[in-house]
Amino acid sequence: MAVVGVLALQGSYNEHMAALRRIGAKGVEVRKAEQLGAIDSLIIPGGESTTMAKLANYHNLFPALREFVGAGKPVWGTCAGLIFLANKAVGQKSGGQELVGGLDCTVHRNFFGSQLQSFETELSVPMLAEKEGGSNICRGVFIRAPAILEVGPDVEVLADCPVPAGRPSITISAEGAEDEVYSKDRVIVAVRQGNILATAFHPELTSDSRWHRLFLDMDKDSQAKAFSALSLSTSSRDVEGGSKNKPLDLPIFE
């Protein structure tokens, strides 16, 4: 069974662990860099992103987290975890915060406002329904939530939602270009890019397990590709050496 790590520095890691248990997955809490070597995938939960970054710095986790993402292992960031994984974040506190990066997007740290502006809404998620079954709608729980302002060409948008009425204007700053005011009537709240899944909302706070199942499927796909590559490599060496040995009998993940 694949082992799913949940970064347990602060935030809703207990809720993610419970969600994994409900679907029969093995989850472990991760607090130290050396623990990353014993897991197959990683969830970075929601919480207070600045506090999480300070704790990650204290435990010297950022280099190991970047290496984990760069190795192609599945990583899912929810809310603050989305901010961690973004290549660029705006709307941060004075001095900013360190990011893991890897996700080609610009995220606004507090797009939807303060804790008092937290809300729930229904999101259209046809891809999730196609992959995991069920309704084309899922419940999105947004708690002082970020949002994705821009994405790169390799990023697949999985969900968006309307920009709340009366939302203060947001300015996007770009190096070497004039500042641009975000004027769209909808904003991106869920994406996937390769081995990275990111949601601005909290699926772990609902009874809908499909997002966790989708992430587990990403883990299975990653392991299947790794086993396939190993099998091909072994077969090539056998052919080159004139060996008549059969390839390794490797498990198949469906």
Side-chain angles (χ1 to χ4, degrees):
M1 180 185 293
V3 180
V4 183
V6 181
L7 191 64
L9 301 177
Q10 188 263 348
S12 61
Y13 60 88
N14 280 323
E15 288 78 3
H16 274 292
M17 291 289 291
L20 291 170
R21 286 194 296 271
R22 287 197 297 271
I23 60 175
K26 182 177 181 180
V28 297
E29 296 180 6
V30 173
R31 294 183 177 86
K32 297 180 180 180
E34 54 265 30
Q35 292 177 290
L36 293 171
I39 61 175
D40 301 294
S41 58
L42 178 68
I43 297 174
I44 304 177
E48 211 295 314
S49 62
T50 305
T51 300
M52 289 173 63
K54 288 179 179 178
L55 290 169
N57 263 318
Y58 178 80
H59 292 287
N60 196 30
L61 272 165
F62 277 106
L65 288 171
R66 293 190 186 103
E67 183 178 353
F68 192 93
V69 173
K73 293 187 177 183
V75 182
W76 176 18
T78 62
C79 197
L82 158 62
I83 300 171
F84 260 48
L85 292 172
N87 283 347
K88 181 180 178 182
V90 297
Q92 300 188 73
K93 293 180 179 179
S94 178
Q97 69 180 64
E98 192 168 355
L99 304 174
V100 174
L103 180 58
D104 186 12
C105 73
T106 298
V107 64
H108 191 285
R109 181 177 176 273
N110 278 92
F111 183 88
F112 292 104
S114 69
Q115 195 83 13
L116 293 175
Q117 277 75 54
S118 300
F119 65 98
E120 296 183 31
T121 190
E122 291 187 341
L123 302 172
S124 176
V125 286
M127 186 285 297
L128 185 65
E130 178 184 346
K131 296 280 188 181
E132 305 300 329
S135 170
N136 283 338
I137 300 296
C138 82
R139 196 70 177 164
V141 179
F142 293 81
I143 303 175
R144 200 175 63 171
I148 299 169
L149 306 182
E150 298 176 325
V151 296
D154 296 327
V155 178
E156 178 186 5
V157 176
L158 305 182
D160 62 10
C161 76
V163 175
R167 176 70 182 83
S169 63
I170 289 176
T171 300
I172 307 172
S173 300
E175 293 183 8
E178 293 185 4
D179 291 350
E180 179 183 351
V181 176
Y182 189 84
S183 57
K184 299 176 183 178
D185 59 359
R186 301 187 69 85
V187 67
I188 300 167
V189 294
V191 295
R192 178 179 177 181
Q193 180 185 355
N195 61 306
I196 300 175
L197 178 68
T199 55
F201 49 95
H202 291 265
E204 76 279 9
L205 299 182
T206 74
S207 60
D208 190 343
S209 63
R210 291 179 297 167
W211 287 101
H212 287 82
R213 293 187 184 279
L214 176 67
F215 184 61
L216 288 184
D217 288 343
M218 289 172 57
D219 196 357
K220 292 177 183 178
D221 290 343
S222 175
Q223 292 193 46
K225 288 177 182 178
F227 283 129
S228 176
L230 177 59
S231 180
L232 288 172
S233 176
T234 304
S235 299
S236 298
R237 288 197 299 271
D238 287 345
V239 170
E240 290 171 4
S243 171
K244 296 182 180 180
N245 293 334
K246 293 182 180 180
L248 293 175
D249 186 13
L250 298 172
I252 298 172
F253 290 81
E254 297 180 352

